[in-house]
Amino acid sequence: MAEAHTEVAHKEAGLPQLNIATFEEQVVWLFLTFIVLFVIVSRLVLPRVTKVLEEREERIANDLDTAERLRKDAEDIRNAYEEASAKARKQAQETILKAKEKIQSDIAKAQAELEETLAAKAAEAEARIAKARDEALASVGDVAGEVASDLVAKLAGIEGDDAAVSGAVKAALADVKGA
Amino acid sequence: MVCKGRLTRRIKIDRDPHKAGCTTKEMVAVAGPLEQFEIKPLAEMQVAGIDVSFTNSSLWMVIVVTALTFFLVGGTRKNALVPGRWQAMVEMAYEFIANMVKENVGREGKQYFPFIFTLFMFILGSNLAGMIPYSFTTTSHIIVTFALAAVVFLGVTLIGFAKHGLGFLKLFAPSGVPAPLYILIVPIEVMSYFTRPISLSVRLFANMLAGHIMMKVFAGFIISLGAIGIAGQAAAVLPFAFNIFLTGLEILVAFLQAYVFAILSCIYLHDAMHPAH
């Protein structure tokens, strides 16, 4: 047997890979060690790595979610702030506008009142003047009558018939007024 | 199975790197480039007539799986929400493969993710462990890469038939082709389907084999040149520099081939999911 082996080894030109006698144990040990490695890899190593990779992915996804949520919150707060400030600005403007309107209406009212009082005073004064003029005009007739009767008495020596004189004066005045 | 006594006797000699694995070539100072691929039983075992001897290959498979377990379990031990460097590395590997499965198989490929992940990590771990001096590259053996490729191939075929029944055969007759062309296309598709496990396994195996042979050859040059004299020792800088470059390249290849193996498995799985493409 021993001789047969050496002969085979020599015949194969020294290439140990072609020594069929060694095939059996190589294959047996290959499968044995390979299966051991396969069991370790598939039962222990790969599930562990899968788990940690999944956990990491999940964690990253969660972190991204959180970041997105926080960003949205910040956005909401900013929007709320802007809305509130816009509202406040609008309110302020409205208040200013109202105040302006009130002041303007107050001014208009005061002016109207003033104008009214002034008009009333002017009317009163006019009435007074008219009355004074009427009075003056009315007294013109008497004065003219007296002057006329005095003139008649002095020039014609006639003791004036006062009634006739005043009638004539009145008629003359009426003519003047009528003209 | 055979000649165990002889092999174990050889191991004692193998401890000496200069005489590694050679009973007939003990005169040679430099170990041959193929010595590194030799399977050396450390403990002979048989279970139910099957050879289950613990060899340097098995030892390195156990070391790789132990190291991967330490890396993966240790990295996820704390399972912090904010990962540390170690955890970030494990998560990077996870997401890299998860994306690969999602993009190449689709959403329904999720149930095969643990398998693809194990496949990638196992191949990557084995390839990288092979870069440690005096280690053994389990993926440099065609039987190992072929066994892995066969699992992928059989798995894909079974999934294809389980999901689509005979509809899975539509894979060999792509739609939108003029009927006469099927005479040509179907045999080609069938052939390309059955060469998948071969191309998948040979690609990984050949890359590992070629890379490690190259490194060993250039390392051998350094020793040989160094033995010549002063001039040879000065010239030995060149293969030494090249070996540094090769080491970097091989680490890249270790990643690349693990990636290629995993992504092709994904693409095959995609075929099983959607045979009528």
Side-chain angles (χ1 to χ4, degrees), chain B residues 61-224:
Chain B
M61 285 175 188
V62 171
I63 288 172
V64 164
V65 167
T66 310
L68 284 175
T69 304
F70 175 72
F71 169 66
L72 293 171
V73 174
T76 53
R77 191 169 39 87
K78 278 190 228 153
N79 231 5
L81 209 57
V82 178
R85 284 179 203 178
W86 193 353
Q87 194 186 328
M89 276 206 289
V90 176
E91 283 175 13
M92 211 158 78
Y94 176 101
E95 289 190 324
F96 179 64
I97 302 298
N99 284 338
M100 185 198 282
V101 172
K102 206 190 290 166
E103 278 162 29
N104 293 292
V105 189
R107 292 226 165 269
E108 66 274 33
K110 214 178 171 185
Q111 53 182 314
Y112 308 112
F113 169 56
F115 175 75
I116 300 290
F117 186 83
T118 311
L119 191 66
F120 176 79
M121 292 311 284
F122 187 87
I123 295 172
L124 178 64
S126 301
N127 293 354
L128 287 179
M131 294 309 296
I132 302 168
Y134 297 104
S135 73
F136 182 86
T137 321
T138 55
T139 43
S140 70
H141 271 253
I142 180 73
I143 185 64
V144 171
T145 60
F146 185 77
L148 289 174
V151 168
V152 171
F153 177 77
L154 291 176
V156 163
T157 310
L158 287 177
I159 291 163
F161 278 115
K163 293 231 172 209
H164 304 279
L166 288 178
F168 181 56
L169 294 175
K170 274 187 220 150
L171 181 67
F172 302 121
S175 54
V177 176
L181 274 182
Y182 279 127
I183 302 164
L184 207 63
I185 281 174
V186 171
I188 291 173
E189 289 283 337
V190 170
M191 253 171 58
S192 82
Y193 187 80
F194 282 99
T195 49
R196 274 176 181 182
I198 297 164
S199 64
L200 195 57
S201 57
V202 169
R203 184 179 300 111
L204 175 56
F205 148 72
N207 266 286
M208 289 301 117
L209 179 75
H212 284 267
I213 288 177
M214 281 249 278
M215 289 186 68
K216 200 75 175 186
V217 165
F218 279 92
F221 285 169
I222 301 169
I223 306 290
S224 310

Side-chain angles (χ1 to χ4, degrees), chain A residues 131-144 170 173 177:
Chain A
K131 199 180 156 197
R133 197 192 61 192
D134 285 353
E135 269 172 17
L137 279 176
S139 58
V140 163
D142 290 349
V143 173
K170 267 178 188 162
L173 274 175
K177 270 183 189 169

Side-chain angles (χ1 to χ4, degrees), chain A residues 1-2 5-6 16-17 24-30 33 38 40-41 45-46 48-50 52-53 56 59, chain B residues 2-3 6 37 39 51-55 58 61 73 76 79-81 91 94 118 122 140-141 143-144 209:
Chain A
M1 284 298 259
H5 178 70
T6 24
Q17 278 86 345
E24 226 168 72
E25 52 87 8
Q26 286 195 71
V27 172
V28 168
W29 281 99
L30 169 69
T33 49
F38 179 77
I40 291 166
V41 160
V45 176
L46 296 185
R48 274 186 187 176
V49 180
T50 310
V52 81
L53 288 181
R56 191 173 307 150
R59 173 77 179 273
Chain B
V2 278
C3 67
R6 179 151 174 72
F37 302 119
I39 305 275
D51 182 16
V52 292
S53 297
F54 194 75
T55 62
S58 335
M61 285 175 188
V73 174
T76 53
N79 231 5
L81 209 57
E91 283 175 13
Y94 176 101
T118 311
F122 187 87
S140 70
H141 271 253
I143 185 64
V144 171
L209 179 75

